[in-house]
Amino acid sequence: MRILLVEDDPQLGDGIRIGLQQAGYAADWLQDGLAALHSLEVENFDMVILDLGLPHVDGIRVLEKIRTAGNDVPVLILTARDTVEDRVKGLDCGADDYLVKPFDLDELCARIRALSRRHNGRSSPVIKYRDIMLDPVSHSLVKDGKDVVLSGREFKILQTLLENVGRVLSRERIEESLFGWDDTLESNATEVHIHHLRKKLGKDLIVTVRGVGYMIPKTN
Ligand code: CA
């Protein structure tokens, strides 16, 4: 899952970014509202963590603009303790949740998981598909009652495909959900991970749609 963090406080921003990466998310960090708007226009994110007091374009304005543009990415706003009005305004402008500073990184990660479940229309954190159960919280995968060990990237690719069952995802889309701007990636890495996933989980699970990408088909 790829998260855009917009926070102008260098210490807080760096701390959150590191915390998100340690929790297994691909996190990109920007420090002003204008850069965030540009980035949201041209790139896909699975979630935005948005500070409200930002240079150039403030957080409320960023939120209004992306919602007006039809972007329904889940947005969690970060607010200072004394600004109830900002919080209300943020929610009214289309934020999905908020956290008041200072907050605990564990709480932030729990909110991210909850928001992601809500956005994907699931109330339970575990994703079930045929004989597979994937638990994003404990990072565990069970197939036919047995634990299957996956690498971190294999797990994320499988999670992304399972969150989009019936939809073909391009290699670029899969890679975007996995990696931040800082990460380098060999050109055939996704193919290699898919190959390993097929070896571990059976070759019919992930379908290659030639020239388009990969998909896990809907179950009947
Ligand atoms: Ca700020």
Side-chain angles (χ1 to χ4, degrees):
M1 190 161 108
R2 187 180 184 199
I3 298 177
L4 176 65
L5 166 67
V6 194
E7 168 61 67
D8 62 319
D9 180 315
Q11 253 184 324
L12 184 60
D14 200 37
I16 298 174
R17 183 179 58 90
I18 290 168
L20 290 175
Q21 286 174 342
Q22 282 170 349
Y25 297 111
D28 295 318
W29 173 30
L30 294 173
Q31 302 189 43
D32 78 81
L34 195 59
L37 277 176
H38 284 151
S39 185
L40 283 159
E41 262 172 35
V42 296
E43 310 218 28
N44 285 313
F45 294 94
D46 301 296
M47 194 168 300
V48 180
I49 299 174
L50 182 67
D51 180 32
L52 290 186
L54 290 170
H56 305 309
V57 180
D58 74 33
I60 294 285
R61 194 83 192 101
V62 170
L63 193 53
E64 281 173 349
K65 285 213 166 204
I66 64 169
R67 291 303 188 232
T68 306
N71 188 338
D72 71 342
V73 63
V75 175
L76 188 150
I77 53 177
L78 304 177
T79 73
R81 187 171 289 283
D82 54 348
T83 53
V84 179
E85 272 175 32
D86 277 355
R87 231 140 66 205
V88 172
K89 200 169 174 204
L91 292 170
D92 283 345
C93 287
D96 298 274
D97 200 359
Y98 69 87
L99 264 181
V100 177
K101 297 176 188 176
F103 52 82
D104 194 272
L105 268 176
D106 285 340
E107 182 175 9
L108 176 64
C109 289
R111 299 282 185 110
I112 291 169
R113 290 193 296 268
L115 210 50
S116 163
R117 288 200 298 275
R118 280 215 303 274
H119 190 69
N120 293 310
R122 285 179 287 113
S123 56
S124 152
V126 175
I127 304 174
K128 293 189 184 125
Y129 179 87
R130 292 186 185 152
D131 60 349
I132 289 174
M133 280 198 325
L134 177 143
D135 186 344
V137 178
S138 63
H139 254 250
S140 63
L141 181 79
V142 174
K143 179 178 165 60
D144 200 12
K146 292 186 199 82
D147 288 321
V148 180
V149 178
L150 299 182
S151 74
R153 287 181 177 184
E154 287 164 11
F155 190 91
K156 286 195 222 169
I157 289 177
L158 183 62
Q159 182 179 349
T160 303
L161 287 166
L162 284 171
E163 284 172 347
N164 291 280
V165 163
R167 262 184 265 170
V168 183
L169 302 184
S170 67
R171 204 181 73 191
E172 291 74 24
R173 168 70 184 80
I174 291 172
E175 287 168 3
E176 271 187 352
S177 75
L178 295 186
F179 309 110
W181 297 317
D182 298 339
D183 299 291
T184 50
L185 186 65
E186 311 89 78
S187 58
N188 65 343
T190 297
E191 281 89 338
V192 172
H193 294 313
I194 299 266
H195 174 73
H196 288 150
L197 282 168
R198 283 176 173 150
K199 265 184 140 173
K200 291 175 183 179
L201 299 169
K203 59 181 190 315
D204 331 322
L205 175 68
I206 300 167
V207 177
T208 301
V209 182
R210 205 162 283 282
V212 188
Y214 299 99
M215 164 174 89
I216 293 184
K218 280 195 171 137
T219 48
N220 295 318

